[in-house]
Each structure stands twice: as structure tokens, then as C-alpha cells.
Amino acid sequence: MASVANDNLPMVSAQAQRALAENGVARAREAYERFAEAGEMALNAFETSMAQSFEGWRSVMGSSRETAHQLTDSNVAGARRMREQWDAAGARLYNAFEDNAVHTLAAMREIGHRMLIATDTNVRASLDFAERVAKAADAREAAALNMAFLQEQSRRLTDQMVDLHQTTGRLAREAAARTEKP
């Protein structure tokens, strides 16, 4: 197969092309590292926000109870019993809500964490592959690297999907067991 020359384009040596490719991969890796760090910061901020929300709920429950106590203290013994029942029911409801929310958030965090690890592993493998291809001596070596990468990536994705399936199944069983308890 004959190559067609284009006299309008400047000639770039193979060494310069390789250097450009390696530089591009290095810049992509640096950008990904910044992206991964920002993602971790966002996840931490979300967890902090949820913790603050729970503290807010606790505060609201406390102030509502205090108001109810003040109102019912001026009434007869029947109102006092009603207040105690309301307190107990409200506490049970809030505790159940908080317990379910804590378990749900923990499950979401575990799944999200596993997804982030899988994504990070895949991105890093792709960047490593790109570096190896950029350093390939010729098209035959690049094709061999590509075939090996595709096989590795296929195994990696299969393992990740199995892990995610097992994790979600376990978390669903744990949630079901919690709801079955009296």
C-alpha cells in the first residue's frame, strides 16, 4: 500500500510523534489524578452534609419534644400520658428513620466506593496502555499491546461486575433481614 504525501503538512519525525503521544498521556494522567482527588473531596463533603442533616433532625426532634412538654405540662394527667405516648412514638419513628437512613447511606457508600475503585482501576489501566502504545516500536507491537489490553480489560470488567453483583445482593439481603425483624 503506497502512502500519499501531503506537501502542505510539515514533516514530524517518529521521535517527535512519540514524544507528543507520551506527553499527551502524561497530561491525561495528571488531569485524571486531579479529577479523582476532586471526586473524593465531593464524596467527603456529601458525607459531612448528611451528618449535619442528621444533627439538624435531632435538634428538631428535641425542640418539638420540648414544645410538647411545655404545652402538656399545663393539662391534666390524661394529657401527660398522651405526651408520653407521643414522645415514645416519635422517638421510635425517628430512630427507625435514622437507622434506615444510616444503613441506606452506608450501602450507597459501599456501592459507590466499589464503583469508584473499579473506575479508577480502569482509567489507570487505560492510561498505562496508552503509555505502552506510545512507546511501541511499530504497528505490529501496538496491535499486540491492543489485543493484550482488550483481553485484560475484559477479565477486569467481568471481575468488577461479579463483585458489584455480589455486593448489591449482600446489601439487599441485609436490608431485607433488617425489615423482617420485629
Side-chain angles (χ1 to χ4, degrees):
M1 177 173 183
S3 65
V4 178
N6 187 337
D7 293 336
N8 297 325
L9 297 176
M11 289 296 295
V12 178
S13 70
Q15 182 180 3
Q17 290 174 353
R18 181 171 283 125
L20 284 171
E22 289 174 0
N23 184 39
V25 171
R27 290 179 61 204
R29 187 178 296 278
E30 288 171 15
Y32 175 72
E33 292 295 335
R34 287 191 301 272
F35 171 77
E37 185 178 324
E40 184 66 27
M41 289 171 50
L43 183 61
N44 290 338
F46 172 76
E47 289 176 346
T48 301
S49 173
M50 291 306 295
Q52 290 171 347
S53 294
F54 281 125
E55 286 304 314
W57 276 98
R58 283 187 190 106
S59 174
V60 167
M61 286 299 293
S63 67
S64 296
R65 285 183 185 148
E66 201 53 44
T67 301
H69 288 204
Q70 290 171 359
L71 289 172
T72 58
D73 281 346
S74 64
N75 292 325
V76 292
R80 189 174 308 276
R81 279 192 308 272
M82 193 151 82
R83 181 197 75 201
E84 290 167 358
Q85 291 170 353
W86 181 85
D87 276 352
R92 283 191 309 273
L93 177 63
Y94 176 75
N95 289 340
F97 167 77
E98 184 176 20
D99 186 53
N100 285 334
V102 165
H103 288 295
T104 300
L105 288 173
M108 288 172 43
R109 172 147 176 72
E110 184 172 347
I111 291 169
H113 183 70
R114 288 183 184 273
M115 294 289 291
L116 286 173
I117 288 172
T119 301
D120 184 66
T121 300
N122 295 336
V123 169
R124 289 178 192 281
S126 296
L127 291 169
D128 291 344
F129 165 70
E131 282 180 352
R132 289 191 306 270
V133 168
K135 294 176 182 177
D138 57 19
R140 181 169 286 160
E141 183 182 351
L145 288 169
N146 189 45
M147 181 63 73
F149 173 75
L150 291 175
Q151 290 171 347
E152 291 169 13
Q153 188 67 2
S154 177
R155 280 191 296 273
R156 191 174 15 259
L157 289 171
T158 300
D159 291 345
Q160 290 167 352
M161 291 305 292
V162 167
D163 178 59
L164 189 57
H165 175 70
Q166 290 173 344
T167 300
T168 55
R170 178 181 51 80
L171 293 171
R173 285 188 302 278
E174 289 173 4
R178 277 193 307 279
T179 58
E180 291 172 0
K181 289 182 182 176

